[in-house]
Protein backbone atom coordinates (compact mmCIF):
# COMPACT_ATOMS: atom_id res chain seq x y z
CA UNK A 1 0.00 0.00 0.00
CA UNK A 2 1.22 3.48 -0.87
CA UNK A 3 0.92 4.87 2.67
CA UNK A 4 3.30 2.22 4.02
CA UNK A 5 5.66 2.40 1.05
CA UNK A 6 6.07 6.14 1.63
CA UNK A 7 7.01 5.57 5.29
CA UNK A 8 9.60 2.93 4.36
CA UNK A 9 11.04 4.95 1.50
CA UNK A 10 11.37 8.01 3.74
CA UNK A 11 13.49 5.99 6.16
CA UNK A 12 15.67 4.56 3.38
CA UNK A 13 16.19 8.00 1.85
CA UNK A 14 17.16 9.76 5.08
CA UNK A 15 20.94 9.25 4.60
CA UNK A 16 20.73 10.47 0.96
CA UNK A 17 18.65 13.65 1.22
CA UNK A 18 17.47 16.28 3.71
CA UNK A 19 13.98 16.13 2.18
CA UNK A 20 13.39 12.37 2.35
CA UNK A 21 9.60 12.43 2.82
CA UNK A 22 9.11 14.99 0.05
CA UNK A 23 11.40 13.02 -2.28
CA UNK A 24 9.42 9.83 -1.61
CA UNK A 25 6.16 11.63 -2.39
CA UNK A 26 7.56 13.17 -5.60
CA UNK A 27 8.78 9.78 -6.83
CA UNK A 28 5.47 8.13 -5.96
CA UNK A 29 3.46 10.84 -7.71
CA UNK A 30 5.74 10.46 -10.75
CA UNK A 31 5.29 6.67 -10.74
CA UNK A 32 1.51 7.20 -10.80
CA UNK A 33 1.64 10.07 -13.29
CA UNK A 34 -0.33 12.36 -10.94
CA UNK A 35 0.36 15.44 -8.80
CA UNK A 36 1.63 15.21 -5.20
CA UNK A 37 -1.59 16.81 -4.06
CA UNK A 38 -3.73 14.13 -5.72
CA UNK A 39 -1.46 11.44 -4.32
CA UNK A 40 -1.94 12.62 -0.74
CA UNK A 41 -5.64 13.35 -1.04
CA UNK A 42 -6.86 10.35 -3.00
CA UNK A 43 -4.38 7.52 -3.40
CA UNK A 44 -2.72 6.66 -0.08
CA UNK A 45 -4.63 3.35 0.20
CA UNK A 46 -3.93 2.23 -3.38
CA UNK A 47 -1.42 -0.49 -4.23
CA UNK A 48 2.18 0.69 -4.77
CA UNK A 49 2.98 1.05 -8.48
CA UNK A 50 5.84 -1.08 -9.77
CA UNK A 51 7.82 1.86 -11.14
CA UNK A 52 8.18 3.32 -7.65
CA UNK A 53 10.85 0.75 -6.67
CA UNK A 54 12.93 1.61 -9.74
CA UNK A 55 12.70 5.35 -9.08
CA UNK A 56 13.54 4.84 -5.41
CA UNK A 57 16.66 2.83 -6.28
CA UNK A 58 17.84 5.60 -8.63
CA UNK A 59 17.37 8.19 -5.88
CA UNK A 60 19.20 5.93 -3.40
CA UNK A 61 22.12 6.04 -5.88
CA UNK A 62 22.05 9.88 -5.47
CA UNK A 63 20.46 10.61 -8.82
CA UNK A 64 18.80 14.06 -8.63
CA UNK A 65 14.99 14.04 -8.38
CA UNK A 66 14.73 16.30 -11.44
CA UNK A 67 16.55 13.72 -13.62
CA UNK A 68 14.20 10.97 -12.43
CA UNK A 69 11.01 12.95 -12.94
CA UNK A 70 12.49 14.70 -16.01
CA UNK A 71 11.23 18.11 -15.03
CA UNK A 72 11.93 21.12 -12.78
CA UNK A 73 9.99 24.31 -12.16
CA UNK A 74 11.89 27.59 -12.55
CA UNK A 75 10.43 31.09 -12.16
CA UNK A 76 7.07 30.92 -14.03
CA UNK A 77 7.90 27.97 -16.28
CA UNK A 78 8.41 24.20 -16.15
CA UNK A 79 11.57 22.89 -17.85
CA UNK A 80 12.36 19.39 -19.04
CA UNK A 81 15.80 18.28 -17.85
CA UNK A 82 17.95 15.17 -17.85
CA UNK A 83 21.57 13.99 -17.78
CA UNK A 84 23.78 16.47 -19.65
CA UNK A 85 21.84 19.58 -18.63
CA UNK A 86 22.40 21.53 -15.42
CA UNK A 87 19.25 21.43 -13.27
CA UNK A 88 17.72 24.90 -12.69
CA UNK A 89 18.29 26.13 -9.09
CA UNK A 90 15.95 28.44 -7.16
CA UNK A 91 19.00 30.67 -6.45
CA UNK A 92 19.20 31.48 -10.16
CA UNK A 93 15.79 33.16 -10.01
CA UNK A 94 17.72 36.03 -8.36
CA UNK A 95 19.03 36.86 -11.85
CA UNK A 96 15.54 37.35 -13.21
CA UNK A 97 14.56 39.44 -10.17
CA UNK A 98 17.62 41.67 -10.59
CA UNK A 99 16.87 42.13 -14.30
CA UNK A 100 13.24 43.07 -13.57
CA UNK A 101 14.45 45.65 -11.03
CA UNK A 102 16.86 47.11 -13.58
CA UNK A 103 14.35 47.45 -16.42
CA UNK A 104 11.50 48.52 -14.11
CA UNK A 105 8.73 49.83 -16.41
CA UNK A 106 10.80 49.18 -19.53
CA UNK A 107 11.29 45.77 -21.14
CA UNK A 108 14.37 44.32 -22.84
CA UNK A 109 13.78 43.58 -26.54
CA UNK A 110 16.81 41.39 -27.26
CA UNK A 111 18.11 38.89 -24.70
CA UNK A 112 21.27 36.78 -24.69
CA UNK A 113 21.77 33.79 -22.37
CA UNK A 114 25.36 32.57 -22.18
CA UNK A 115 25.57 28.93 -21.05
CA UNK A 116 21.85 28.47 -21.36
CA UNK A 117 21.80 24.75 -20.41
CA UNK A 118 18.20 23.52 -20.83
CA UNK A 119 17.20 27.11 -21.70
CA UNK A 120 16.63 28.06 -18.07
CA UNK A 121 17.31 31.81 -17.93
CA UNK A 122 16.40 32.67 -21.53
CA UNK A 123 13.01 30.96 -21.46
CA UNK A 124 12.16 32.40 -18.03
CA UNK A 125 13.05 35.89 -19.32
CA UNK A 126 11.01 35.38 -22.50
CA UNK A 127 8.05 34.37 -20.34
CA UNK A 128 8.54 37.52 -18.26
CA UNK A 129 8.76 39.80 -21.32
CA UNK A 130 6.37 38.42 -23.98
CA UNK A 131 7.51 40.85 -26.70
CA UNK A 132 11.21 39.95 -26.35
CA UNK A 133 13.28 37.60 -28.50
CA UNK A 134 16.51 35.93 -27.54
CA UNK A 135 19.54 33.81 -28.25
CA UNK A 136 20.84 31.02 -26.03
CA UNK A 137 24.45 29.83 -26.37
CA UNK A 138 25.89 26.64 -24.93
CA UNK A 139 28.98 24.51 -25.53
CA UNK A 140 26.97 21.30 -25.06
CA UNK A 141 24.79 19.81 -27.81
CA UNK A 142 23.07 17.67 -25.18
CA UNK A 143 22.02 20.75 -23.21
CA UNK A 144 20.85 22.51 -26.39
CA UNK A 145 18.65 19.52 -27.21
CA UNK A 146 16.74 20.12 -23.96
CA UNK A 147 16.68 23.89 -24.57
CA UNK A 148 15.13 23.57 -28.04
CA UNK A 149 12.56 21.04 -26.82
CA UNK A 150 11.66 23.31 -23.91
CA UNK A 151 11.22 26.34 -26.19
CA UNK A 152 8.98 24.26 -28.44
CA UNK A 153 6.86 22.93 -25.59
CA UNK A 154 6.49 26.38 -24.01
CA UNK A 155 5.37 27.87 -27.33
CA UNK A 156 8.47 30.10 -27.52
CA UNK A 157 10.35 28.50 -30.41
CA UNK A 158 9.64 31.52 -32.66
CA UNK A 159 11.23 33.85 -30.08
CA UNK A 160 14.17 31.72 -28.95
CA UNK A 161 17.16 30.69 -31.04
CA UNK A 162 19.70 28.25 -29.61
CA UNK A 163 23.23 27.93 -30.93
CA UNK A 164 26.31 25.86 -30.12
CA UNK A 165 29.09 28.24 -29.18
CA UNK A 166 32.03 29.23 -27.02
CA UNK A 167 30.68 32.06 -24.82
CA UNK A 168 30.55 35.27 -26.89
CA UNK A 169 32.70 34.09 -29.82
CA UNK A 170 31.28 35.34 -33.11
CA UNK A 171 28.56 37.51 -31.54
CA UNK A 172 28.36 41.11 -32.73
CA UNK A 173 24.79 42.42 -32.34
CA UNK A 174 23.87 44.39 -29.21
CA UNK A 175 21.61 42.90 -26.52
CA UNK A 176 19.49 44.75 -23.96
CA UNK A 177 19.82 41.97 -21.42
CA UNK A 178 22.69 39.51 -21.14
CA UNK A 179 22.15 36.65 -18.69
CA UNK A 180 24.74 34.05 -17.67
CA UNK A 181 25.04 31.30 -15.10
CA UNK A 182 28.56 30.15 -15.99
CA UNK A 183 30.48 27.40 -14.19
CA UNK A 184 32.01 28.88 -11.04
CA UNK A 185 32.98 26.00 -8.78
CA UNK A 186 36.73 25.73 -8.00
CA UNK A 187 38.26 22.51 -9.33
CA UNK A 188 39.00 21.20 -5.84
CA UNK A 189 35.81 22.31 -4.12
CA UNK A 190 33.56 19.68 -2.55
CA UNK A 191 30.12 19.13 -4.01
CA UNK A 192 27.29 16.84 -2.89
CA UNK A 193 27.37 13.42 -4.59
CA UNK A 194 24.14 14.10 -6.43
CA UNK A 195 25.70 17.13 -8.13
CA UNK A 196 29.24 15.78 -8.61
CA UNK A 197 28.27 12.36 -9.90
CA UNK A 198 25.28 13.26 -12.04
CA UNK A 199 25.35 16.83 -13.36
CA UNK A 200 27.69 17.87 -16.20
CA UNK A 201 31.15 18.87 -14.88
CA UNK A 202 31.52 21.33 -17.76
CA UNK A 203 28.60 23.35 -16.35
CA UNK A 204 30.07 23.41 -12.83
CA UNK A 205 33.86 23.70 -12.71
CA UNK A 206 35.88 26.72 -13.78
CA UNK A 207 39.55 26.33 -12.86
CA UNK A 208 41.30 26.44 -9.48
CA UNK A 209 39.47 29.56 -8.21
CA UNK A 210 36.23 29.05 -10.16
CA UNK A 211 36.78 32.34 -12.00
CA UNK A 212 38.11 31.10 -15.36
CA UNK A 213 34.87 31.64 -17.26
CA UNK A 214 34.26 35.16 -15.87
CA UNK A 215 37.74 35.99 -17.23
CA UNK A 216 36.54 34.83 -20.66
CA UNK A 217 33.11 36.44 -20.57
CA UNK A 218 33.63 39.86 -18.93
CA UNK A 219 36.01 41.43 -21.50
CA UNK A 220 33.43 40.89 -24.26
CA UNK A 221 30.39 42.35 -22.53
CA UNK A 222 30.88 46.11 -23.05
CA UNK A 223 30.75 45.70 -26.83
CA UNK A 224 27.63 43.50 -26.68
CA UNK A 225 25.52 45.65 -24.33
CA UNK A 226 22.96 47.99 -25.88
CA UNK A 227 22.58 51.48 -24.31
CA UNK A 228 20.46 51.23 -21.15
CA UNK A 229 21.02 47.48 -21.01
CA UNK A 230 22.45 45.25 -18.30
CA UNK A 231 24.44 42.04 -17.98
CA UNK A 232 23.36 39.86 -15.08
CA UNK A 233 25.75 37.12 -13.98
CA UNK A 234 25.36 34.42 -11.34
CA UNK A 235 28.29 34.07 -8.93
CA UNK A 236 29.36 31.78 -6.14
CA UNK A 237 28.62 33.48 -2.82
CA UNK A 238 32.31 34.10 -2.05
CA UNK A 239 33.08 35.61 -5.46
CA UNK A 240 31.38 39.04 -5.33
CA UNK A 241 34.61 40.96 -4.69
CA UNK A 242 36.72 39.16 -7.29
CA UNK A 243 34.09 39.36 -10.05
CA UNK A 244 33.31 43.03 -9.26
CA UNK A 245 37.04 43.84 -9.56
CA UNK A 246 37.24 42.03 -12.91
CA UNK A 247 34.18 43.92 -14.15
CA UNK A 248 35.64 47.31 -13.20
CA UNK A 249 38.84 46.42 -15.08
CA UNK A 250 36.71 45.99 -18.19
CA UNK A 251 34.77 49.23 -17.84
CA UNK A 252 31.60 47.77 -16.30
CA UNK A 253 29.88 49.05 -13.16
CA UNK A 254 28.96 46.17 -10.79
CA UNK A 255 26.03 45.94 -8.33
CA UNK A 256 25.64 42.89 -6.10
CA UNK A 257 22.25 41.22 -5.44
CA UNK A 258 21.66 38.53 -2.80
CA UNK A 259 19.63 35.32 -3.02
CA UNK A 260 16.79 34.36 -0.65
CA UNK A 261 19.37 32.96 1.77
CA UNK A 262 20.94 36.43 1.98
CA UNK A 263 24.11 35.40 0.14
CA UNK A 264 25.63 37.41 -2.70
CA UNK A 265 24.45 35.52 -5.80
CA UNK A 266 24.27 37.97 -8.68
CA UNK A 267 26.42 40.73 -10.18
CA UNK A 268 24.46 43.19 -12.32
CA UNK A 269 26.71 45.09 -14.72
CA UNK A 270 25.97 48.31 -16.56
N1 LIG B 1 24.91 26.67 -7.92
C1 LIG B 1 25.42 25.46 -8.49
C2 LIG B 1 25.82 24.48 -7.40
O1 LIG B 1 26.30 24.89 -6.38
C3 LIG B 1 26.60 25.74 -9.38
C4 LIG B 1 26.18 26.25 -10.68
C5 LIG B 1 27.32 26.82 -11.41
O2 LIG B 1 28.49 26.48 -11.26
N2 LIG B 1 26.99 27.73 -12.23
O3 LIG B 1 25.65 23.29 -7.56
Amino acid sequence: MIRQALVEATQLLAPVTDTSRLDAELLMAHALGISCQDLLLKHLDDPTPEAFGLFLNRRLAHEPIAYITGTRAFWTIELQVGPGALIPRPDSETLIEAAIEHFDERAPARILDLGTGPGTLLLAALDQWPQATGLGIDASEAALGYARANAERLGMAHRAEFRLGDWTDGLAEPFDLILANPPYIGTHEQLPAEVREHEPASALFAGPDGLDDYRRILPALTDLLAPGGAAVLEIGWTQAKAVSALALQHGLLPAVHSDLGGRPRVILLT
Side-chain angles (χ1 to χ4, degrees):
M1 202 212 293
I2 285 178
R3 190 187 304 274
Q4 186 57 28
L6 286 173
V7 172
E8 287 166 14
T10 301
Q11 282 167 6
L12 286 170
L13 284 167
V16 173
T17 160
D18 294 338
T19 54
S20 50
R21 172 75 196 189
L22 175 65
D23 285 21
E25 289 172 3
L26 286 165
L27 296 177
M28 187 68 81
H30 181 57
L32 292 164
I34 59 174
S35 69
C36 271
Q37 195 181 348
D38 269 359
L39 167 68
L40 298 176
L41 290 176
K42 300 182 203 155
H43 296 279
L44 287 178
D45 297 316
D46 290 0
T48 306
E50 214 167 300
F52 179 67
L54 300 173
F55 296 155
L56 178 61
N57 280 335
R58 287 170 65 181
R59 187 66 185 125
L60 289 170
H62 298 272
E63 187 168 344
I65 287 278
Y67 283 176
I68 303 173
T69 63
T71 174
R72 173 57 47 93
F74 181 79
W75 195 245
T76 50
I77 58 175
E78 189 83 24
L79 292 154
Q80 283 180 5
V81 295
L86 189 80
I87 299 166
R89 290 11 185 197
D91 285 346
S92 304
E93 294 181 352
T94 314
L95 277 81
I96 305 292
E97 284 166 1
I100 290 172
E101 197 181 311
H102 172 82
F103 285 98
D104 196 15
E105 303 284 285
R106 297 181 299 137
R110 279 294 285 164
I111 302 172
L112 173 66
D113 181 10
L114 297 168
T116 190
T120 307
L121 292 167
L122 179 61
L123 297 174
L126 292 182
D127 201 44
Q128 183 66 35
W129 292 290
Q131 308 303 319
T133 63
L135 173 63
I137 303 284
D138 208 281
S140 156
E141 261 312 344
L144 290 172
Y146 291 103
R148 292 193 184 104
N150 280 321
E152 196 71 49
R153 223 177 22 82
L154 291 163
M156 296 180 185
H158 61 297
R159 295 197 287 137
E161 185 196 341
F162 291 100
R163 222 185 274 166
L164 192 69
D166 185 9
W167 296 127
T168 59
D169 277 8
L171 299 181
E173 61 158 317
F175 293 90
D176 303 296
L177 173 60
I178 302 177
L179 298 160
N181 176 15
Y184 55 69
I185 309 287
T187 319
H188 302 293
E189 276 179 64
Q190 301 286 323
L191 284 176
E194 72 171 271
V195 179
R196 191 183 63 240
E197 287 168 19
H198 292 276
E199 294 195 76
S202 60
L204 295 165
F205 296 104
D209 60 2
L211 298 173
D212 279 8
D213 290 291
Y214 300 114
R215 294 190 184 97
R216 296 275 323 280
I217 295 167
L218 284 166
L221 293 182
T222 325
D223 286 346
L224 288 176
L225 266 184
V232 188
L233 271 52
E234 181 162 330
I235 54 164
W237 65 280
T238 59
Q239 295 169 327
K241 247 193 183 159
V243 178
S244 297
L246 269 175
L248 286 167
Q249 276 172 34
H250 294 286
L252 295 154
L253 192 65
V256 178
H257 293 246
S258 294
D259 60 27
L260 287 175
R263 292 173 158 190
R265 181 60 60 195
V266 164
I267 301 264
L268 185 143
L269 304 166
T270 49

